[in-house]
Each structure stands twice: as C-alpha cells, then as structure tokens.
Amino acid sequence: MRCPFCRHSDSRVVDSREVEDGQAIRRRRSCTECGRRFTTVEEAVLAVVKRSGVTEPFSREKVIRGVSRACQGRPVNDDDLALLAHKVEESIRSAGAAEIPSHEVGLAILGPLRDLDEVAYLRFASVYRSFSSVEDFEKEIADLRAAITSNDTENNT
C-alpha cells in the first residue's frame, strides 16, 4: 500500500477492525518512510453479471432506485428501501459467490419487497417477470394470496 503523503510503497498495519457488519476491514497504517499514519478500507467486491455479459459492482443504490419506482405513491419511506437493499445484499453475499447474475439480484429483491409492500411487489414483479396479460397478474395475485394465507396459518400455530 503506497503512502498517500510520500508515495513510499511500504507501510505497516497498526490496527485492524471490522466495519459495516463485517463486510469491510478498516486498517490504520503507518508509513515506514515518513512515519505518517493513514487509514485504508478493504472490502470484498461483489460483481453483478448483466445479461449482455458486462460485469459491474453490486450497488445498493441501484437496488433502491429500481425498487423506489415500484414504490411510488406507496407508504414506503427511504429507511424501508435502505433496509430492503441491505437485506438483498446480505442474501446475495450469503451465497458465497464473487459474481452473481443480474437475474439472481432480481430474485433476491422479490421476497423482501413482497414483505414490505404487496402492491409495490406486484409492480416490480410485473416488470421483472415481463407480465404480458391480465392472466399473469391474476396468477401472481393468487400466488401472493396463497403465500399470505400460508404465513398466517404458520403464525397462528
């Protein structure tokens, strides 16, 4: 790691700590040449592979932007969206892969979004799954009702 002050290529680690719930490591370093201290942050990069084959870093902000369109006019606030994006990232990272297809990101969004707001879920699912008819909506609504009934039954036992 190069010193940002004197550009010397050697430094030693003085202290290391996990940050962002263990998703990154903050290291306090000391330059062996000039003695000045600086901080670095190391995090594992999670890459999303798009349908075109292009790879880009995973972005919570992009998840929030995509889901916020489905949530327009719904009682969903920015904190709810940030929590949803966090859940999506945790879900994807728990798979243990360094690269994940964009399709898997969409699937990871559907569950938390269904729990957050059913109307927003239907809006998002209609675009994500390319609904082409009223029957597609009817089937999704029937599946949603079945899931709600199943959850209610589980919670009452």
Side-chain angles (χ1 to χ4, degrees):
M1 181 87 235
R2 288 198 180 276
C3 172
F5 306 107
C6 72
R7 307 295 299 154
H8 186 67
S9 62
D10 191 28
S11 64
R12 66 182 186 86
V13 175
V14 177
D15 182 44
S16 292
R17 296 184 184 180
E18 286 186 2
V19 292
E20 297 179 25
D21 297 326
Q23 298 297 321
I25 297 175
R26 180 185 155 276
R27 298 197 194 279
R28 192 75 180 132
R29 296 177 176 269
S30 176
C31 176
T32 57
E33 184 70 19
C34 70
R36 293 179 76 179
R37 291 185 173 198
F38 57 98
T39 301
T40 60
V41 178
E42 300 172 17
E43 63 182 334
V45 176
L46 178 61
V48 176
V49 181
K50 316 265 289 172
R51 281 185 226 138
S52 65
V54 174
T55 302
E56 63 182 42
F58 174 83
S59 166
R60 283 187 191 181
E61 290 75 29
K62 196 166 182 180
V63 169
I64 291 170
R65 274 196 315 271
V67 172
S68 67
R69 284 188 225 119
C71 293
Q72 279 184 320
R74 301 298 304 155
V76 176
N77 63 41
D78 291 342
D79 290 340
D80 295 332
L81 293 175
L83 183 59
L84 181 136
H86 179 73
K87 288 178 182 176
V88 169
E89 183 175 6
E90 278 185 338
S91 169
I92 291 169
R93 285 192 186 275
S94 70
E99 291 185 346
I100 187 161
S102 58
H103 175 74
E104 296 292 324
V105 176
L107 290 176
I109 290 171
L110 289 173
L113 184 56
R114 184 180 66 210
D115 296 338
L116 178 63
D117 187 279
E118 295 163 355
V119 173
Y121 165 78
L122 284 171
R123 289 175 178 171
F124 187 86
S126 71
V127 173
Y128 179 72
R129 293 187 174 146
S130 304
F131 288 6
S132 59
S133 67
V134 172
E135 289 79 20
D136 291 337
F137 278 96
E138 289 172 342
K139 181 186 178 316
E140 195 64 39
I141 290 169
D143 291 348
L144 185 58
R145 283 185 175 138
I148 291 168
T149 303
S150 173
N151 284 343
D152 288 346
T153 302
E154 288 175 10
N155 290 338
N156 291 334
T157 56

